[in-house]
Amino acid sequence: MALINPHINFNGNAEEAFNFYKSVFGGEFAMIMRFKDIPNPGFPIAKKDANKIMHIALPIGKNVLMANDVPESMGRVNENENRSKISVSAESHEEADRIFNGLSAGGNIEVPFAESSWGSYFGMFRDKFGIEWMVDFDPKYNGKV
C-alpha cells in the first residue's frame, strides 16, 4: 500500500515548527538540510536565507512529515490557505487526545475534540504556525483508516 507523506512550505519558521511537532509526536529527524548545504550557481540563495531549511523530515509511524522554508526571493507562502489539512488517524483515544492537545496548543481550535456524529472521536484546528490539522480516532478501525 502506498503511503502519503505531507510536505509543508513555511515562511522561515520550518525548524521551529518541526521542533514543536517533534515534541508532540516524538522521534528524531530523518534529515535536516539547509540552503547553504546545497550550493547551486543556478539558484543563488541570499545570505539571510542560507540557514533556513531546504528540507526537513520527521518520521511519524510509517509516514514522514516533510517541509521546507520558502526563500523570500520566491515570495511568501499564504498562511491562511484553507484548501488542505493534515489528517492524523490515532491508534487509541488517549493518543488522539494527546496529539490534539499537543498540536493545538497556541493555535485555533475549529472543532473541539469530542465524539462525532459518525461514531469516531474527532477534532480540527489550525496550529500556531497556521497549519490545519484533523485528529481522529475511530474505535471500529482502531486507528487503521
Side-chain angles (χ1 to χ4, degrees):
M1 173 66 65
L3 298 176
I4 295 176
N5 298 303
H7 188 279
I8 309 168
N9 292 313
F10 287 90
N11 289 317
N13 60 346
E15 187 167 16
E16 177 187 0
F18 266 61
N19 279 319
F20 174 68
Y21 299 153
K22 181 180 164 184
S23 75
V24 174
F25 287 107
E28 296 298 324
F29 296 125
M31 179 182 287
I32 299 178
M33 185 183 297
R34 299 180 189 285
F35 283 103
K36 68 181 179 183
D37 298 333
I38 54 157
N40 183 345
F43 187 67
I45 296 295
K47 193 171 193 154
K48 65 183 173 191
D49 290 330
N51 280 319
K52 291 183 179 175
I53 300 297
M54 194 304 196
H55 182 74
I56 189 166
L58 177 63
I60 301 171
K62 293 181 180 180
N63 300 295
V64 180
L65 181 62
M66 298 175 282
N68 64 280
D69 287 316
V70 175
E72 287 182 29
S73 63
M74 295 179 74
R76 291 190 54 81
V77 173
N78 181 357
E79 293 178 350
N80 291 318
E81 78 82 31
N82 59 3
R83 294 177 296 140
S84 60
K85 295 179 178 13
I86 298 174
S87 178
V88 178
S89 296
E91 292 186 351
S92 70
H93 186 279
E94 294 76 21
E95 180 184 52
D97 194 47
R98 180 185 61 77
I99 290 169
F100 184 90
N101 289 330
L103 289 176
S104 66
N108 247 348
I109 294 175
E110 297 168 359
V111 176
F113 188 66
E115 188 169 355
S116 69
S117 58
W118 56 89
S120 73
Y121 293 89
F122 176 83
M124 192 166 58
F125 58 91
R126 184 181 298 267
D127 72 21
K128 64 184 176 181
F129 301 100
I131 305 302
E132 293 183 283
W133 296 81
M134 297 184 300
V135 177
D136 185 71
F137 168 66
D138 191 330
K140 294 184 299 280
Y141 298 109
N142 208 16
K144 294 172 177 63
V145 178

